Amino acid sequence: MDGMINYKVADRVAVITLNRPEKANAQNYPFLYQLNECWERAADDDEVTVIVLQAKGKHFSAGHDLAGTEYPKTDELRSQGKFDLTHHYRYELKHFLGYSLNWRNVPKPSIAAVQGKCIAAGLMLCWPCDLIVAADNAEFSDPVAGGLGIGGVEYHGHTWEFGARKAKELLFTGRTIDAYKAEQIGMVNRVVPLADLENETMALALEIAEQDPFALLQAKRAVNQTLDIMGFQTALQSVFDIHEMGHGAMWSRRSEGESRGSALERMKERNQEIAQRQRTEAKA
Ligand code: ZN
C-alpha cells in the first residue's frame, strides 16, 4: 500500500510508516483512515507477530491537520449549516478516541519509533503502542489545553503516561519534554541516537517476534487488563467528554464571533512563546 501510510511485512514484523513528511505527518481524515486499515491488517495477519509504527521525515507527527478537511462530509454539512456538535462528537469518538483505543487493544505487541516533534494528537499515535523507542531528538508536548482552551487531546493518556503531577505541569504550561526526561518518567522504553532509531527498533521487534505469539498476547493482556481494572479505558471515555465540553465552549465563542482562524493563530503564537521560553532556559 502506498499513500500517506506505507505498510510492509518481513520476518514476522509488520512495519507501518507514516508517510506525509512534507506536512510533518499531520493527521487528516484519509491519513487516519489508512492508518487504521494498516493496524487492522496487521492485527488479522497470521504472518505478523509484532507491529512497528514509524514515521518518515524529521518529525513523528505534528498532530491533527488543523488546516485540512476533517472528514469527507464536513465541508458539505458545513455549507448547508448542518454540521453541529453531534457530528463533531461522533467524528472524534470514532476517529480519534476510538481508533487509538483499537490500536492499543490489538492483541499483538507494538512498538513506536519516535523522532523529532510529537505534538498533541501525535501522542495519540505513539501512546497506544506497547513500547516506545525514542530518538535522542524526540520531543513530546500537548499544547491544546492553553492553546485552544481544551483540556488536552481526545485520548487522555497524560495522567497514565506522565504521572499526575507532570501531567498537570505539561498541560498547564504546554511545555515539551525531551526523550531523556520521557525515559526517566517511564513514558519511553529507551532513547537511541537518531541515526540508529530504525535499526534499534527493528532489532527489538525481531527479538520479540521470536517469542510465541500466544505468550505475547497473554503478557500484553495481563498488563492491559491490570490498567483497565485500575480504570484506564473508563477514565479515557470519561475525559473524552471533558474534551468535548471544551469544543462546546469553542463553538459558543465562535457563535459570538471568534473565527476558527483566530483561535488557531492564538495557539500558534502561544506555541512560539513557549518554545522561545524553553530555548532561553536551556541556554541559561
Ligand atoms: Zn477534539
Side-chain angles (χ1 to χ4, degrees):
M1 185 191 296
D2 253 317
M4 288 194 201
I5 312 292
N6 291 343
Y7 180 87
K8 67 169 188 185
V9 178
D11 302 324
R12 309 204 63 80
V13 177
V15 179
I16 302 173
T17 307
L18 312 178
N19 186 32
R20 208 184 175 210
E22 72 286 359
K23 295 277 180 191
N25 294 306
Q27 309 158 31
N28 59 11
Y29 174 75
F31 180 100
L32 283 171
Y33 185 83
Q34 286 175 31
L35 177 57
N36 190 58
E37 276 192 330
C38 291
W39 272 98
E40 286 186 353
R41 194 168 154 189
D44 291 340
D45 186 348
D46 285 343
E47 297 303 310
V48 172
T49 303
V50 177
I51 301 163
V52 166
L53 177 70
Q54 63 179 19
K56 215 169 164 183
K58 273 172 75 178
H59 302 297
F60 181 74
S61 177
H64 289 144
D65 186 348
L66 299 171
T69 307
E70 289 159 64
Y71 78 124
K73 282 190 196 154
T74 311
D75 291 338
E76 190 187 319
L77 290 165
R78 274 216 175 101
S79 67
Q80 297 165 357
K82 286 184 187 163
F83 189 80
D84 60 16
L85 262 180
T86 314
H87 293 108
H88 188 90
Y89 187 101
R90 281 199 215 126
Y91 177 72
E92 295 210 346
L93 184 62
K94 179 173 178 181
H95 301 97
F96 299 164
L97 179 63
Y99 277 176
S100 291
L101 279 176
N102 289 346
W103 306 334
R104 181 255 187 187
N105 292 328
V106 162
K108 295 177 180 181
S110 57
I111 311 174
V114 180
Q115 79 277 19
K117 293 193 190 305
C118 178
I119 304 174
L123 299 167
M124 292 162 57
L125 305 186
C126 68
W127 278 346
C129 293
D130 298 308
L131 308 179
I132 300 178
V133 179
D136 50 11
N137 75 340
E139 277 184 358
F140 305 86
S141 67
D142 184 357
V144 162
L148 288 177
I150 297 179
V153 290
E154 290 81 1
Y155 180 98
H156 183 77
H158 314 62
T159 304
W160 303 86
E161 299 283 355
F162 296 136
R165 281 194 202 286
K166 209 68 194 163
K168 287 175 189 165
E169 182 188 333
L170 294 168
L171 285 167
F172 292 168
T173 64
R175 284 167 179 252
T176 58
I177 60 165
D178 65 27
Y180 293 102
K181 190 76 191 168
E183 185 187 27
Q184 205 181 71
I185 63 175
M187 199 202 98
V188 154
N189 291 84
R190 55 181 80 168
V191 182
V192 300
L194 175 62
D196 301 335
L197 180 64
E198 196 169 342
N199 288 343
E200 293 271 355
T201 306
M202 274 314 289
L204 182 59
L206 291 168
E207 181 186 337
I208 296 170
E210 285 173 14
Q211 311 299 316
D212 170 36
F214 189 68
L216 292 169
L217 181 159
Q218 296 284 85
K220 172 165 180 167
R221 198 155 162 74
V223 178
N224 279 6
Q225 277 296 102
T226 303
L227 289 170
D228 288 344
I229 290 163
M230 290 161 74
F232 178 81
Q233 293 200 69
T234 321
L236 261 64
Q237 297 282 353
S238 169
V239 179
F240 175 77
D241 284 5
I242 296 177
H243 173 95
E244 292 306 312
M245 189 183 275
H247 278 299
M250 275 177 81
W251 280 61
S252 70
R253 284 200 301 274
R254 225 175 280 169
S255 67
E256 286 162 11
E258 183 185 79
S259 73
R260 178 180 161 82
S262 67
L264 296 179
E265 201 49 46
R266 200 177 58 238
M267 181 161 87
K268 215 168 128 190
E269 277 169 26
R270 185 172 179 275
N271 290 347
Q272 282 164 357
E273 279 167 29
I274 294 166
Q276 181 58 42
R277 189 175 301 141
Q278 288 197 258
R279 273 197 299 273
T280 312
E281 283 171 5
K283 276 186 210 145

Short mmCIF file of all heavy atoms in Angstrom, two decimals, residues 198-256:
data_model
loop_
_atom_site.label_atom_id
_atom_site.label_comp_id
_atom_site.label_asym_id
_atom_site.label_seq_id
_atom_site.Cartn_x
_atom_site.Cartn_y
_atom_site.Cartn_z
N GLU A 198 15.85 3.43 13.49
CA GLU A 198 15.17 2.37 12.73
C GLU A 198 15.77 0.99 13.06
O GLU A 198 15.04 0.03 13.34
CB GLU A 198 15.27 2.66 11.22
CG GLU A 198 14.29 1.84 10.42
CD GLU A 198 14.19 2.29 8.97
OE1 GLU A 198 14.62 3.43 8.65
OE2 GLU A 198 13.69 1.49 8.16
N ASN A 199 17.09 0.90 13.06
CA ASN A 199 17.76 -0.38 13.32
C ASN A 199 17.50 -0.89 14.74
O ASN A 199 17.23 -2.07 14.95
CB ASN A 199 19.28 -0.26 13.11
CG ASN A 199 19.59 -0.15 11.63
OD1 ASN A 199 18.76 -0.47 10.79
ND2 ASN A 199 20.79 0.32 11.32
N GLU A 200 17.58 0.01 15.70
CA GLU A 200 17.37 -0.40 17.10
C GLU A 200 15.93 -0.86 17.31
O GLU A 200 15.68 -1.83 18.02
CB GLU A 200 17.67 0.78 18.05
CG GLU A 200 19.13 1.18 18.08
CD GLU A 200 19.92 0.41 19.15
OE1 GLU A 200 19.32 -0.36 19.91
OE2 GLU A 200 21.15 0.59 19.18
N THR A 201 15.00 -0.16 16.67
CA THR A 201 13.59 -0.54 16.82
C THR A 201 13.35 -1.91 16.17
O THR A 201 12.67 -2.77 16.74
CB THR A 201 12.67 0.52 16.18
OG1 THR A 201 12.99 1.80 16.73
CG2 THR A 201 11.21 0.23 16.44
N MET A 202 13.94 -2.11 14.99
CA MET A 202 13.76 -3.40 14.30
C MET A 202 14.40 -4.53 15.09
O MET A 202 13.85 -5.63 15.18
CB MET A 202 14.36 -3.33 12.88
CG MET A 202 13.42 -2.79 11.84
SD MET A 202 11.75 -3.47 11.86
CE MET A 202 12.07 -5.12 11.27
N ALA A 203 15.57 -4.27 15.68
CA ALA A 203 16.24 -5.32 16.47
C ALA A 203 15.36 -5.74 17.64
O ALA A 203 15.20 -6.94 17.93
CB ALA A 203 17.59 -4.80 16.97
N LEU A 204 14.74 -4.76 18.28
CA LEU A 204 13.84 -5.06 19.40
C LEU A 204 12.61 -5.84 18.91
O LEU A 204 12.18 -6.82 19.52
CB LEU A 204 13.42 -3.74 20.07
CG LEU A 204 12.51 -3.82 21.30
CD1 LEU A 204 13.15 -4.63 22.42
CD2 LEU A 204 12.18 -2.40 21.81
N ALA A 205 12.07 -5.40 17.76
CA ALA A 205 10.89 -6.08 17.19
C ALA A 205 11.22 -7.53 16.84
O ALA A 205 10.43 -8.44 17.12
CB ALA A 205 10.41 -5.32 15.95
N LEU A 206 12.39 -7.75 16.25
CA LEU A 206 12.78 -9.12 15.84
C LEU A 206 13.01 -10.00 17.07
O LEU A 206 12.66 -11.18 17.06
CB LEU A 206 14.04 -9.06 14.96
CG LEU A 206 13.82 -8.45 13.58
CD1 LEU A 206 15.14 -8.16 12.89
CD2 LEU A 206 12.95 -9.37 12.70
N GLU A 207 13.56 -9.41 18.11
CA GLU A 207 13.76 -10.18 19.35
C GLU A 207 12.41 -10.63 19.92
O GLU A 207 12.24 -11.79 20.28
CB GLU A 207 14.50 -9.29 20.37
CG GLU A 207 14.78 -9.98 21.68
CD GLU A 207 15.38 -9.02 22.72
OE1 GLU A 207 15.99 -8.00 22.33
OE2 GLU A 207 15.24 -9.31 23.92
N ILE A 208 11.45 -9.73 19.93
CA ILE A 208 10.12 -10.07 20.46
C ILE A 208 9.40 -11.05 19.52
O ILE A 208 8.71 -11.96 19.98
CB ILE A 208 9.28 -8.78 20.68
CG1 ILE A 208 9.95 -7.91 21.75
CG2 ILE A 208 7.85 -9.12 21.10
CD1 ILE A 208 9.37 -6.51 21.90
N ALA A 209 9.62 -10.88 18.21
CA ALA A 209 8.93 -11.72 17.22
C ALA A 209 9.37 -13.19 17.30
O ALA A 209 8.72 -14.07 16.75
CB ALA A 209 9.16 -11.18 15.81
N GLU A 210 10.48 -13.46 18.00
CA GLU A 210 10.92 -14.86 18.17
C GLU A 210 10.07 -15.59 19.21
O GLU A 210 10.10 -16.81 19.30
CB GLU A 210 12.39 -14.89 18.65
CG GLU A 210 13.38 -14.58 17.55
CD GLU A 210 14.80 -14.46 18.11
OE1 GLU A 210 15.03 -14.87 19.27
OE2 GLU A 210 15.65 -13.95 17.37
N GLN A 211 9.35 -14.82 20.02
CA GLN A 211 8.54 -15.43 21.09
C GLN A 211 7.25 -16.00 20.52
O GLN A 211 6.82 -15.65 19.43
CB GLN A 211 8.21 -14.38 22.16
CG GLN A 211 9.38 -13.56 22.67
CD GLN A 211 10.45 -14.40 23.33
OE1 GLN A 211 10.15 -15.30 24.10
NE2 GLN A 211 11.70 -14.13 22.98
N ASP A 212 6.64 -16.86 21.32
CA ASP A 212 5.37 -17.47 20.94
C ASP A 212 4.26 -16.40 20.94
O ASP A 212 4.07 -15.71 21.94
CB ASP A 212 5.05 -18.57 21.96
CG ASP A 212 3.64 -19.10 21.79
OD1 ASP A 212 3.18 -19.20 20.64
OD2 ASP A 212 2.99 -19.39 22.81
N PRO A 213 3.54 -16.25 19.79
CA PRO A 213 2.51 -15.20 19.72
C PRO A 213 1.46 -15.28 20.83
O PRO A 213 1.00 -14.26 21.32
CB PRO A 213 1.86 -15.44 18.35
CG PRO A 213 2.89 -16.16 17.55
CD PRO A 213 3.69 -16.98 18.53
N PHE A 214 1.13 -16.51 21.23
CA PHE A 214 0.11 -16.64 22.28
C PHE A 214 0.65 -16.14 23.63
O PHE A 214 -0.06 -15.47 24.38
CB PHE A 214 -0.39 -18.08 22.39
CG PHE A 214 -1.59 -18.21 23.29
CD1 PHE A 214 -2.82 -17.66 22.92
CD2 PHE A 214 -1.49 -18.85 24.52
CE1 PHE A 214 -3.92 -17.75 23.76
CE2 PHE A 214 -2.60 -18.94 25.36
CZ PHE A 214 -3.81 -18.39 24.98
N ALA A 215 1.91 -16.44 23.91
CA ALA A 215 2.52 -15.96 25.15
C ALA A 215 2.57 -14.43 25.15
O ALA A 215 2.31 -13.79 26.18
CB ALA A 215 3.92 -16.54 25.30
N LEU A 216 2.87 -13.85 23.99
CA LEU A 216 2.92 -12.38 23.89
C LEU A 216 1.54 -11.77 24.13
O LEU A 216 1.40 -10.78 24.84
CB LEU A 216 3.46 -11.97 22.51
CG LEU A 216 4.93 -12.32 22.24
CD1 LEU A 216 5.25 -12.10 20.77
CD2 LEU A 216 5.86 -11.47 23.11
N LEU A 217 0.56 -12.41 23.52
CA LEU A 217 -0.82 -11.95 23.70
C LEU A 217 -1.21 -11.99 25.18
O LEU A 217 -1.79 -11.04 25.72
CB LEU A 217 -1.74 -12.85 22.87
CG LEU A 217 -3.24 -12.61 22.82
CD1 LEU A 217 -3.81 -13.28 21.57
CD2 LEU A 217 -3.99 -13.13 24.02
N GLN A 218 -0.84 -13.10 25.83
CA GLN A 218 -1.17 -13.25 27.26
C GLN A 218 -0.48 -12.19 28.10
O GLN A 218 -1.07 -11.60 29.00
CB GLN A 218 -0.71 -14.65 27.75
CG GLN A 218 -1.43 -15.78 27.10
CD GLN A 218 -2.83 -15.95 27.66
OE1 GLN A 218 -3.76 -15.28 27.22
NE2 GLN A 218 -2.99 -16.81 28.63
N ALA A 219 0.80 -11.94 27.78
CA ALA A 219 1.57 -10.96 28.55
C ALA A 219 0.99 -9.55 28.37
O ALA A 219 0.83 -8.79 29.32
CB ALA A 219 3.03 -10.99 28.13
N LYS A 220 0.66 -9.22 27.11
CA LYS A 220 0.08 -7.89 26.83
C LYS A 220 -1.25 -7.74 27.57
O LYS A 220 -1.53 -6.72 28.17
CB LYS A 220 -0.11 -7.72 25.32
CG LYS A 220 -0.86 -6.45 24.96
CD LYS A 220 -0.74 -6.10 23.50
CE LYS A 220 -1.53 -4.82 23.20
NZ LYS A 220 -1.21 -4.26 21.90
N ARG A 221 -2.03 -8.80 27.49
CA ARG A 221 -3.35 -8.75 28.11
C ARG A 221 -3.25 -8.61 29.63
O ARG A 221 -4.03 -7.90 30.26
CB ARG A 221 -4.13 -10.01 27.72
CG ARG A 221 -5.58 -9.87 27.93
CD ARG A 221 -6.44 -10.76 27.06
NE ARG A 221 -7.77 -10.83 27.66
CZ ARG A 221 -8.64 -9.85 27.62
NH1 ARG A 221 -8.35 -8.73 26.98
NH2 ARG A 221 -9.82 -9.96 28.20
N ALA A 222 -2.26 -9.28 30.22
CA ALA A 222 -2.08 -9.19 31.68
C ALA A 222 -1.85 -7.74 32.10
O ALA A 222 -2.46 -7.25 33.06
CB ALA A 222 -0.90 -10.06 32.11
N VAL A 223 -1.00 -7.05 31.37
CA VAL A 223 -0.70 -5.65 31.73
C VAL A 223 -1.91 -4.76 31.42
O VAL A 223 -2.33 -3.94 32.26
CB VAL A 223 0.55 -5.13 30.99
CG1 VAL A 223 0.82 -3.68 31.33
CG2 VAL A 223 1.77 -5.99 31.34
N ASN A 224 -2.48 -4.92 30.24
CA ASN A 224 -3.60 -4.04 29.87
C ASN A 224 -4.84 -4.27 30.74
O ASN A 224 -5.54 -3.32 31.07
CB ASN A 224 -3.95 -4.23 28.38
CG ASN A 224 -3.01 -3.42 27.48
OD1 ASN A 224 -2.05 -2.83 27.97
ND2 ASN A 224 -3.29 -3.38 26.20
N GLN A 225 -5.08 -5.54 31.09
CA GLN A 225 -6.23 -5.82 31.97
C GLN A 225 -6.03 -5.16 33.33
O GLN A 225 -6.96 -4.64 33.92
CB GLN A 225 -6.41 -7.33 32.17
CG GLN A 225 -7.18 -8.01 31.05
CD GLN A 225 -8.62 -7.51 30.95
OE1 GLN A 225 -8.94 -6.71 30.09
NE2 GLN A 225 -9.50 -7.96 31.85
N THR A 226 -4.77 -5.20 33.82
CA THR A 226 -4.48 -4.55 35.11
C THR A 226 -4.78 -3.06 35.02
O THR A 226 -5.44 -2.49 35.89
CB THR A 226 -2.99 -4.79 35.49
OG1 THR A 226 -2.76 -6.19 35.53
CG2 THR A 226 -2.67 -4.18 36.84
N LEU A 227 -4.32 -2.43 33.93
CA LEU A 227 -4.60 -1.00 33.75
C LEU A 227 -6.11 -0.75 33.65
O LEU A 227 -6.62 0.24 34.18
CB LEU A 227 -3.89 -0.47 32.50
CG LEU A 227 -2.37 -0.36 32.59
CD1 LEU A 227 -1.78 -0.07 31.21
CD2 LEU A 227 -1.97 0.74 33.57
N ASP A 228 -6.80 -1.67 32.97
CA ASP A 228 -8.25 -1.48 32.82
C ASP A 228 -8.98 -1.63 34.14
O ASP A 228 -9.95 -0.91 34.41
CB ASP A 228 -8.80 -2.45 31.77
CG ASP A 228 -8.39 -2.05 30.35
OD1 ASP A 228 -7.95 -0.89 30.19
OD2 ASP A 228 -8.49 -2.87 29.44
N ILE A 229 -8.50 -2.56 34.99
CA ILE A 229 -9.13 -2.71 36.32
C ILE A 229 -8.87 -1.45 37.14
O ILE A 229 -9.70 -1.02 37.93
CB ILE A 229 -8.59 -3.98 37.03
CG1 ILE A 229 -9.15 -5.22 36.30
CG2 ILE A 229 -8.97 -4.01 38.50
CD1 ILE A 229 -8.41 -6.51 36.59
N MET A 230 -7.74 -0.80 36.90
CA MET A 230 -7.45 0.49 37.56
C MET A 230 -8.27 1.63 36.93
O MET A 230 -8.22 2.75 37.41
CB MET A 230 -5.95 0.80 37.44
CG MET A 230 -5.09 -0.11 38.27
SD MET A 230 -3.35 -0.11 37.70
CE MET A 230 -2.80 1.49 38.28
N GLY A 231 -8.97 1.34 35.86
CA GLY A 231 -9.88 2.34 35.29
C GLY A 231 -9.42 2.99 34.00
O GLY A 231 -10.02 3.99 33.57
N PHE A 232 -8.38 2.46 33.38
CA PHE A 232 -7.80 3.14 32.21
C PHE A 232 -8.84 3.49 31.14
O PHE A 232 -9.04 4.67 30.82
CB PHE A 232 -6.67 2.27 31.61
CG PHE A 232 -6.05 2.86 30.38
CD1 PHE A 232 -5.09 3.86 30.48
CD2 PHE A 232 -6.43 2.44 29.11
CE1 PHE A 232 -4.52 4.41 29.34
CE2 PHE A 232 -5.87 3.00 27.96
CZ PHE A 232 -4.91 3.98 28.08
N GLN A 233 -9.52 2.48 30.61
CA GLN A 233 -10.42 2.77 29.47
C GLN A 233 -11.63 3.60 29.89
O GLN A 233 -12.08 4.47 29.16
CB GLN A 233 -10.85 1.48 28.78
CG GLN A 233 -9.69 0.78 28.09
CD GLN A 233 -10.11 -0.20 27.02
OE1 GLN A 233 -10.62 0.17 25.97
NE2 GLN A 233 -9.89 -1.47 27.28
N THR A 234 -12.13 3.32 31.11
CA THR A 234 -13.29 4.10 31.60
C THR A 234 -12.89 5.55 31.80
O THR A 234 -13.65 6.47 31.47
CB THR A 234 -13.78 3.53 32.94
OG1 THR A 234 -13.70 2.12 32.89
CG2 THR A 234 -15.19 3.96 33.25
N ALA A 235 -11.67 5.75 32.34
CA ALA A 235 -11.19 7.13 32.56
C ALA A 235 -11.07 7.85 31.22
O ALA A 235 -11.46 9.01 31.09
CB ALA A 235 -9.85 7.11 33.29
N LEU A 236 -10.54 7.16 30.21
CA LEU A 236 -10.37 7.80 28.91
C LEU A 236 -11.72 8.18 28.29
O LEU A 236 -11.86 9.25 27.71
CB LEU A 236 -9.57 6.90 27.95
CG LEU A 236 -8.08 7.28 27.86
CD1 LEU A 236 -7.35 7.10 29.17
CD2 LEU A 236 -7.39 6.50 26.76
N GLN A 237 -12.70 7.27 28.43
CA GLN A 237 -14.04 7.58 27.92
C GLN A 237 -14.59 8.82 28.62
O GLN A 237 -15.19 9.70 28.01
CB GLN A 237 -15.00 6.40 28.18
CG GLN A 237 -14.64 5.11 27.46
CD GLN A 237 -15.01 5.10 25.99
OE1 GLN A 237 -15.66 6.01 25.50
NE2 GLN A 237 -14.58 4.08 25.27
N SER A 238 -14.37 8.86 29.94
CA SER A 238 -14.92 9.96 30.73
C SER A 238 -14.23 11.29 30.39
O SER A 238 -14.89 12.32 30.21
CB SER A 238 -14.75 9.61 32.21
OG SER A 238 -15.02 10.71 32.99
N VAL A 239 -12.90 11.26 30.28
CA VAL A 239 -12.17 12.51 29.99
C VAL A 239 -12.44 12.97 28.56
O VAL A 239 -12.39 14.17 28.28
CB VAL A 239 -10.66 12.34 30.27
CG1 VAL A 239 -9.90 13.62 29.94
CG2 VAL A 239 -10.43 11.99 31.74
N PHE A 240 -12.77 12.04 27.69
CA PHE A 240 -13.15 12.43 26.32
C PHE A 240 -14.31 13.43 26.37
O PHE A 240 -14.35 14.40 25.60
CB PHE A 240 -13.54 11.18 25.50
CG PHE A 240 -14.05 11.50 24.13
CD1 PHE A 240 -13.17 11.84 23.11
CD2 PHE A 240 -15.42 11.47 23.85
CE1 PHE A 240 -13.65 12.15 21.83
CE2 PHE A 240 -15.90 11.77 22.58
CZ PHE A 240 -15.01 12.12 21.58
N ASP A 241 -15.25 13.19 27.28
CA ASP A 241 -16.40 14.11 27.38
C ASP A 241 -15.97 15.50 27.88
O ASP A 241 -16.56 16.51 27.48
CB ASP A 241 -17.49 13.52 28.29
CG ASP A 241 -18.26 12.42 27.58
OD1 ASP A 241 -17.89 12.07 26.44
OD2 ASP A 241 -19.23 11.91 28.14
N ILE A 242 -14.94 15.53 28.75
CA ILE A 242 -14.41 16.84 29.19
C ILE A 242 -13.83 17.56 27.97
O ILE A 242 -14.05 18.75 27.77
CB ILE A 242 -13.34 16.65 30.29
CG1 ILE A 242 -13.98 16.03 31.53
CG2 ILE A 242 -12.66 17.99 30.63
CD1 ILE A 242 -13.02 15.74 32.66
N HIS A 243 -13.11 16.81 27.15
CA HIS A 243 -12.53 17.38 25.92
C HIS A 243 -13.65 17.96 25.04
O HIS A 243 -13.54 19.07 24.52
CB HIS A 243 -11.75 16.29 25.18
CG HIS A 243 -11.26 16.72 23.84
ND1 HIS A 243 -9.99 17.22 23.63
CD2 HIS A 243 -11.88 16.73 22.63
CE1 HIS A 243 -9.86 17.53 22.35
NE2 HIS A 243 -10.98 17.24 21.72
N GLU A 244 -14.72 17.18 24.89
CA GLU A 244 -15.82 17.63 24.01
C GLU A 244 -16.50 18.87 24.59
O GLU A 244 -17.00 19.72 23.83
CB GLU A 244 -16.83 16.50 23.78
CG GLU A 244 -16.28 15.35 22.94
CD GLU A 244 -15.69 15.81 21.60
OE1 GLU A 244 -16.36 16.58 20.89
OE2 GLU A 244 -14.57 15.39 21.28
N MET A 245 -16.53 18.97 25.92
CA MET A 245 -17.10 20.19 26.52
C MET A 245 -16.26 21.40 26.12
O MET A 245 -16.79 22.49 25.88
CB MET A 245 -17.16 20.05 28.03
CG MET A 245 -17.93 21.18 28.69
SD MET A 245 -17.90 21.03 30.46
CE MET A 245 -19.26 19.92 30.69
N GLY A 246 -14.94 21.18 26.02
CA GLY A 246 -14.04 22.25 25.54
C GLY A 246 -14.41 22.67 24.14
O GLY A 246 -14.42 23.86 23.81
N HIS A 247 -14.74 21.69 23.28
CA HIS A 247 -15.19 22.03 21.93
C HIS A 247 -16.49 22.83 21.98
O HIS A 247 -16.68 23.77 21.21
CB HIS A 247 -15.40 20.77 21.08
CG HIS A 247 -14.13 20.23 20.50
ND1 HIS A 247 -13.35 20.95 19.64
CD2 HIS A 247 -13.51 19.04 20.67
CE1 HIS A 247 -12.29 20.23 19.30
NE2 HIS A 247 -12.36 19.07 19.90
N GLY A 248 -17.37 22.43 22.90
CA GLY A 248 -18.64 23.16 23.06
C GLY A 248 -18.38 24.63 23.36
O GLY A 248 -19.01 25.51 22.78
N ALA A 249 -17.39 24.86 24.26
CA ALA A 249 -17.04 26.25 24.60
C ALA A 249 -16.48 26.98 23.38
O ALA A 249 -16.78 28.15 23.14
CB ALA A 249 -16.02 26.27 25.74
N MET A 250 -15.66 26.24 22.57
CA MET A 250 -15.12 26.85 21.34
C MET A 250 -16.25 27.22 20.39
O MET A 250 -16.23 28.27 19.76
CB MET A 250 -14.20 25.86 20.62
CG MET A 250 -12.77 25.85 21.11
SD MET A 250 -11.82 24.58 20.24
CE MET A 250 -11.42 25.42 18.72
N TRP A 251 -17.24 26.34 20.28
CA TRP A 251 -18.38 26.60 19.39
C TRP A 251 -19.14 27.84 19.85
O TRP A 251 -19.55 28.65 19.04
CB TRP A 251 -19.33 25.39 19.36
CG TRP A 251 -18.86 24.31 18.45
CD1 TRP A 251 -17.70 23.61 18.57
CD2 TRP A 251 -19.52 23.80 17.28
NE1 TRP A 251 -17.59 22.69 17.55
CE2 TRP A 251 -18.69 22.79 16.76
CE3 TRP A 251 -20.72 24.10 16.64
CZ2 TRP A 251 -19.02 22.07 15.61
CZ3 TRP A 251 -21.05 23.38 15.51
CH2 TRP A 251 -20.21 22.38 15.00
N SER A 252 -19.28 27.99 21.18
CA SER A 252 -20.04 29.17 21.62
C SER A 252 -19.22 30.43 21.40
O SER A 252 -19.77 31.46 21.04
CB SER A 252 -20.51 29.02 23.07
OG SER A 252 -19.43 29.08 23.94
N ARG A 253 -17.88 30.35 21.58
CA ARG A 253 -17.04 31.54 21.28
C ARG A 253 -17.14 31.88 19.79
O ARG A 253 -17.16 33.03 19.39
CB ARG A 253 -15.58 31.28 21.65
CG ARG A 253 -15.31 31.35 23.14
CD ARG A 253 -13.83 31.58 23.45
NE ARG A 253 -12.97 30.55 22.92
CZ ARG A 253 -12.69 29.41 23.56
NH1 ARG A 253 -13.21 29.16 24.75
NH2 ARG A 253 -11.88 28.52 23.02
N ARG A 254 -17.24 30.82 18.98
CA ARG A 254 -17.32 31.04 17.54
C ARG A 254 -18.66 31.71 17.18
O ARG A 254 -18.71 32.60 16.36
CB ARG A 254 -17.19 29.72 16.78
CG ARG A 254 -16.26 29.83 15.61
CD ARG A 254 -16.03 28.50 14.94
NE ARG A 254 -15.07 27.68 15.63
CZ ARG A 254 -14.85 26.40 15.37
NH1 ARG A 254 -15.52 25.79 14.44
NH2 ARG A 254 -13.94 25.72 16.03
N SER A 255 -19.72 31.26 17.88
CA SER A 255 -21.01 31.88 17.56
C SER A 255 -21.04 33.33 18.05
O SER A 255 -21.84 34.13 17.60
CB SER A 255 -22.17 31.06 18.15
OG SER A 255 -22.12 31.12 19.55
N GLU A 256 -20.12 33.66 19.00
CA GLU A 256 -20.02 35.06 19.44
C GLU A 256 -19.09 35.86 18.53
O GLU A 256 -18.79 37.02 18.79
CB GLU A 256 -19.51 35.12 20.89
CG GLU A 256 -20.55 34.71 21.92
CD GLU A 256 -19.92 34.36 23.27
OE1 GLU A 256 -18.73 34.63 23.47
OE2 GLU A 256 -20.67 33.80 24.09
#
